[in-house]
Every structure is written in structure tokens, then in C-alpha cells.
Amino acid sequence: MLSFGKKLNICTHDGHFHADEVFACATLILWADKNDKKVRITRTRDSSLINKADIVVDVGGLYNEKLNRFDHHQDGFDVNRESGIPYASFGLVWKKFGRLICSNDEVIRMIDHKLVTPIDAHDNGINVSKSVFGDLQEYNLARDIVRLFRNTWDEGNKNVDNNFNQFLGVAIKIIEREIKLSLSLINGESEVLKYIEKQREPSILVLDAYLPWDRVVADFRNIYLVVYPDFMGKNWCAEVVKSDQKDYLSDRANFPVHWGGKIGNELESVSGVTGAIFCHKGLFFTVAETKESAIELAKKAIKKV
């Protein structure tokens, strides 16, 4: 247990806020809530207030984990990940407090890779991705969403702290849900592995529950499609496996071209499968009324491989 009083004083800089310090503060709030501590956040660059704080984030010119000082802007700071991406304040706070929020080491690693590292990279001016379509960019958490909560140039500097607190609430919810999602993925993927082992890595993997299968199945080259009940439990799906989850062109199979975009009776007619409901025009996903119908649709895609 860290030796803080019942009230935790956190200090970060004022002015424009960034995803870096907001998510760092969100992490600390989650830790404080778990330990029944009240939190007060002061946004300032006043050194006298900074020095009195229990925890200092993204300001103060000092990184010392034992003293709970988490700045990364100072000359001589050289704390980097193995990838070479330097830590920012979110990463420094997560490195210490993440495991105090969730004790699962794999969850800590997953969230650092998915959420923390990209935010740290952005705050340090490092690109982790590039556009393949000219100047088109994906909507970005650290760049675009944070701007929604900051004052625009014509709004002046009113309510800046209120806007900070609004985005802080979003950041808290994102971290909470990422922890929940990561734990769910770990548990769900272990169930998928059991199905794969039981069915001896079939070309069509049949799941009797709605489970997170895409990452696991990508490592098994002999599996081409997965059949599973939909989220609502009403119908059954047959979906093509992707070798690379980030590449829409890495499908291992496809449904017949003349099925694309067909629904209901029309799809039943062209596929010859009773109970066929829908085929995506991208030819990677179908829906049927029963498990047997979904398996039959999947078998017809296998014949094209």
C-alpha cells in the first residue's frame, strides 16, 4: 500500500490539455477509487503548489517513480521502451499504477501496447502509423477526440478546467472498459483454443458460443472459416478468417461472387441453402437461421479455396 492520506493531491499543468496527462490522471483516479481515497486535481505551473502535491504529472521537470513525479519534458530524460518509443507521463504512471489497478500482467501489457504507447508516441511527436490513401487519416484519440474537449480559438479560455474534467471522465471510462475487454479477451480466447483442440484444427471451426476468435484463429493456418451464433443468439454466422487482423485483403477464403449482397429468398435460391439470410457484398460474412445452414454456407466457400 502506498503511503498517502485519505485525500490525494495530484498536480498537472494548466492551459491546453492533452491525452497524455488526462489519461495519467484517469489512471491515478482509478487507483484512488480502488483504495477509498478522495482526489483533488490542481492544474497549475506554480512551483510552490507543484512541490506540495502528492503526485505530479506532466509538469515539474522531474521523473522519480519513488517520489511520484512523472514528468518527461526535462533535459536528460531518456526512459524508453524496448521498441525505442519514449515514455510520456501516461506511460510512466501506467508503469507504476497500472498493475495496482489490475494485477493481471497480460492485461497490463495489452493496454500498454494498444492504448498507452500510441498516446505516449503522439505526445513525443512520433508517428506510429502512416496513411496509404494520400492525406486520409484514421480518426485518432490523442489527436482528434482530445480536440473536441479543448477550447477552440474563438471560445477563449473560459471553462477550460470543466472541459478537462469532461474529458477526464471519458478517459476513466476508456481505461475501465479496456481492462474489462482485455480480461474478457484472455478468457474468451482460451475457450476458443479448447474448441480448436477438440475439433483438431478443422478447416471450418464451429463455436457454440459467441466468443472472441479472430486473433486466436489467425495463428492456425488450416482454419478458413468460423461458424458461430450471433451476439443476440437468434441466428448463426459463417465468417472468413483473416490472416492479418489489420488487413482487409488477407481473407483466407471468399463466398461465391454471385452471393454478394443477396438476402432472404434470393440468397437461398443462388446458394441452394435453405435458411440462408444474408451475404455481405465483401464476400467474407454470411448469416443463416440455423447452425447447420451456416455450416453448409461455409462448406461452399471452402470449395473455392
Side-chain angles (χ1 to χ4, degrees):
M1 180 66 66
L2 299 180
S3 58
F4 296 116
K6 293 295 290 183
K7 189 169 185 178
L8 188 66
N9 293 306
I10 301 171
C11 192
T12 189
H13 64 79
D14 57 8
H16 260 332
F17 51 84
H18 312 87
D20 175 32
E21 76 268 15
V22 175
F23 274 87
C25 289
T27 300
L28 294 169
I29 288 173
L30 287 171
W31 175 82
D33 286 347
K34 188 175 181 179
N35 290 278
D36 297 321
K37 296 182 182 298
K38 301 295 183 181
V39 172
R40 177 181 179 181
I41 297 178
T42 301
R43 302 185 66 238
T44 183
R45 295 185 185 274
D46 186 329
S47 59
S48 64
L49 296 176
I50 292 171
N51 292 336
K52 294 176 182 178
D54 296 310
I55 303 177
V56 179
V57 171
D58 212 38
V59 73
L62 176 65
Y63 170 54
N64 187 313
E65 185 177 289
K66 292 182 179 179
L67 296 178
N68 294 301
R69 265 50 186 164
F70 300 100
D71 200 4
H72 65 107
H73 297 99
Q74 60 274 18
D75 184 35
F77 179 87
D78 60 353
V79 185
N80 300 328
R81 294 173 170 83
E82 290 184 5
S83 63
I85 295 177
Y87 281 88
S89 293
F90 183 21
L92 296 175
V93 168
W94 185 255
K95 188 153 67 78
K96 179 174 182 177
F97 287 88
R99 68 187 65 260
L100 301 178
I101 296 172
C102 178
S103 59
N104 188 302
D105 288 340
E106 179 62 11
V107 170
I108 300 304
R109 186 202 64 79
M110 290 169 66
I111 294 177
D112 183 79
H113 181 75
K114 178 182 179 182
L115 177 66
V116 186
T117 299
I119 288 177
D120 279 11
H122 183 273
D123 202 75
N124 281 296
I126 297 174
N127 293 322
V128 295
S129 62
K130 63 180 180 179
S131 173
V132 296
F133 290 102
D135 63 351
L136 182 64
Q137 296 180 325
E138 289 189 353
Y139 203 67
N140 182 280
L141 171 62
R143 180 188 64 242
D144 300 301
I145 296 180
V146 70
R147 286 178 179 172
L148 297 177
F149 290 86
R150 295 198 312 209
N151 287 32
T152 61
W153 70 270
D154 52 351
E155 288 177 324
N157 59 8
K158 294 181 179 179
N159 301 317
V160 174
D161 286 348
N162 288 339
N163 295 342
F164 174 91
N165 289 331
Q166 285 184 2
F167 187 51
L168 180 61
V170 173
I172 290 170
K173 182 57 66 176
I174 287 174
I175 295 173
E176 287 179 327
R177 292 301 297 172
E178 285 293 351
I179 292 173
K180 171 64 178 175
L181 174 62
S182 298
L183 286 169
S184 177
L185 278 173
I186 292 169
N187 295 330
E189 288 175 347
S190 68
E191 292 299 311
V192 174
L193 286 170
K194 293 177 184 177
Y195 277 97
I196 294 173
E197 182 178 354
K198 184 178 181 180
Q199 296 175 35
R200 298 183 179 180
E201 194 180 342
S203 57
I204 300 172
L205 178 67
V206 180
L207 305 176
D208 292 321
Y210 184 84
L211 293 166
W213 56 263
D214 48 353
R215 291 197 320 165
V216 175
V217 174
D219 291 332
F220 292 86
R221 303 297 302 179
N222 293 330
I223 302 177
Y224 288 85
L225 291 100
V226 178
V227 171
Y228 58 92
D230 70 12
F231 179 71
M232 299 301 292
K234 295 181 179 180
N235 299 306
W236 284 78
C237 307
E239 186 170 349
V240 173
V241 175
K242 288 180 171 55
S243 295
D244 182 348
Q245 297 306 302
K246 300 181 181 66
D247 184 1
Y248 287 107
L249 301 179
S250 66
D251 290 345
R252 294 181 181 171
N254 289 114
F255 293 99
V257 173
H258 59 287
W259 292 12
K262 300 293 193 301
I263 61 173
N265 292 337
E266 190 175 10
L267 180 58
E268 284 187 324
S269 177
V270 298
S271 68
V273 177
T274 301
I277 295 174
F278 166 75
C279 179
H280 194 284
K281 66 180 181 179
L283 307 178
F284 62 87
F285 178 75
T286 59
V287 180
E289 293 177 357
T290 66
K291 175 167 69 172
E292 293 72 24
S293 296
I295 292 173
E296 193 173 348
L297 291 171
K299 287 180 177 178
K300 297 200 174 192
I302 287 292
K303 289 180 180 179
K304 295 177 76 273
V305 176

